[in-house]
Amino acid sequence: MSGICSGKNYLIAGVANEKSLAWGIARSVFREGGTVLLSCQEALKERVEGLATQIGNAPVYLCDVNSDEDLAAMATRIGEGYGSLYGIAHCIAFAPRRALQGSMEATTRDDFKIALETSAHSLCALVAACLPLMKEGGSVVTLTYDTARAYPNYNLMGVAKSALEAEVRYLAFNLGDRKIRVNSLSAGPQNTLAARGITNFNALKQMGRERAPLGWDPDDTGPVGDAATYLMSDLSRSVTGIIHYVDGGLHIVGA
């Protein structure tokens, strides 16, 4: 199969189900000829292995991104099986539901720690573990959500995404001499498993449908998948450190 990702290996980390943005990315990369490797939590193994049969029986690695041992073991297995990586899609975020509701000032230290560790530091940890495999440079993509505004019932996750965006800039700066690009994608409201933890998420979805200049389908992961595939291909060889919006133009619309 030929395409803009042909001849390269890509790790898509954080697949949960068929509605995941990670799955949309995996399908687009596979369509463009890339060899796709998937990672997920142990609880999701059976579901993700079922999806993997649709993209060439992609290997599925179990990995807790908050475990340095898991990350090292996954990197070792990828190295033994595939030798190298060209692209990484980091599609991982978590905050306790109670930290998304109520008042920001009521956030506990423990909730803050787990949200920032899982949603932001996991990018650093994943890149550090896989860096020896990116022998010829490559691309890292992560997922954010419009941190220029405050959204009801998003609270701590908005803070975590702001940290993630800053992290992208510093990683892009530090890894440029290795020819590794680091970028983030800001998608519109998407009907993912993670989004279901946001109270009144239906209002955000409706806002996307009604106000995005190009319209927005919260059930279609294809646009984000295709944008990520571009960023992880050589077509984006001089693009790094950016937030690339894929939301039908929703982010330009005033309140």
Side-chain angles (χ1 to χ4, degrees), residues 10-13 15 20-38 51 54-55 58 89 91 221 224-226 228-229 232:
Y10 295 86
L11 173 63
I12 315 300
V15 180
S20 297
L21 290 175
W23 178 238
I25 295 170
R27 286 188 303 156
S28 292
V29 169
F30 179 73
R31 185 197 66 221
E32 291 298 327
T35 297
V36 175
L37 322 176
L38 304 176
L51 292 175
Q54 301 177 33
I55 52 172
C91 310
T221 60
V224 172
D226 288 348
T229 299
M232 290 197 293

Side-chain angles (χ1 to χ4, degrees), residues 51-122:
L51 292 175
T53 62
Q54 301 177 33
I55 52 172
N57 290 312
V60 178
Y61 301 95
L62 302 183
C63 183
D64 175 357
V65 293
N66 291 338
S67 165
D68 290 335
E69 292 77 14
D70 275 18
L71 287 164
M74 180 177 68
T76 296
R77 290 181 61 199
I78 292 173
E80 291 172 349
Y82 294 88
S84 66
L85 280 175
Y86 187 78
I88 299 171
H90 171 271
C91 310
I92 297 164
F94 173 77
R97 187 163 187 168
R98 61 182 174 270
L100 303 180
Q101 302 169 335
S103 298
M104 183 67 205
E105 69 274 12
T107 304
T108 67
R109 292 181 187 275
D110 286 344
D111 286 353
F112 195 95
K113 178 181 177 180
I114 189 63
L116 269 289
E117 182 178 11
T118 307
S119 306
H121 181 261
S122 62

Side-chain angles (χ1 to χ4, degrees), residues 5-218:
C5 296
S6 293
K8 296 180 174 67
N9 302 322
Y10 295 86
L11 173 63
I12 315 300
V15 180
N17 58 27
E18 69 282 356
K19 294 185 177 181
S20 297
L21 290 175
W23 178 238
I25 295 170
R27 286 188 303 156
S28 292
V29 169
F30 179 73
R31 185 197 66 221
E32 291 298 327
T35 297
V36 175
L37 322 176
L38 304 176
S39 78
C40 69
Q41 296 176 324
E42 185 171 3
L44 301 170
K45 179 187 178 198
E46 186 174 341
R47 183 183 301 172
V48 175
E49 286 181 337
L51 292 175
T53 62
Q54 301 177 33
I55 52 172
N57 290 312
V60 178
Y61 301 95
L62 302 183
C63 183
D64 175 357
V65 293
N66 291 338
S67 165
D68 290 335
E69 292 77 14
D70 275 18
L71 287 164
M74 180 177 68
T76 296
R77 290 181 61 199
I78 292 173
E80 291 172 349
Y82 294 88
S84 66
L85 280 175
Y86 187 78
I88 299 171
H90 171 271
C91 310
I92 297 164
F94 173 77
R97 187 163 187 168
R98 61 182 174 270
L100 303 180
Q101 302 169 335
S103 298
M104 183 67 205
E105 69 274 12
T107 304
T108 67
R109 292 181 187 275
D110 286 344
D111 286 353
F112 195 95
K113 178 181 177 180
I114 189 63
L116 269 289
E117 182 178 11
T118 307
S119 306
H121 181 261
S122 62
L123 175 62
C124 284
L126 181 62
V127 169
C130 294
L131 196 57
L133 299 173
M134 302 184 76
K135 304 169 185 177
E136 298 180 2
S139 176
V140 178
V141 173
T142 190
L143 301 176
T144 186
Y145 184 77
D146 189 18
T147 60
R149 297 172 178 82
Y151 290 92
N153 304 307
Y154 201 56
N155 285 345
L156 184 54
M157 186 56 70
V159 174
K161 291 298 187 183
S162 293
L164 182 70
E165 291 176 8
E167 194 175 316
V168 165
R169 291 187 288 272
Y170 280 97
L171 286 171
F173 180 77
N174 291 329
L175 298 178
D177 60 353
R178 294 174 178 252
K179 301 301 180 187
I180 295 174
R181 311 181 305 280
V182 186
N183 295 291
S184 58
L185 278 170
S186 182
Q190 202 87 39
N191 197 25
T192 63
L193 183 64
R196 295 175 197 169
I198 302 173
T199 301
N200 203 24
F201 180 68
N202 285 337
L204 283 178
K205 291 194 295 183
Q206 192 61 26
M207 180 179 68
R209 289 191 184 101
E210 294 177 354
R211 301 180 64 189
L214 293 176
W216 182 251
D217 181 354

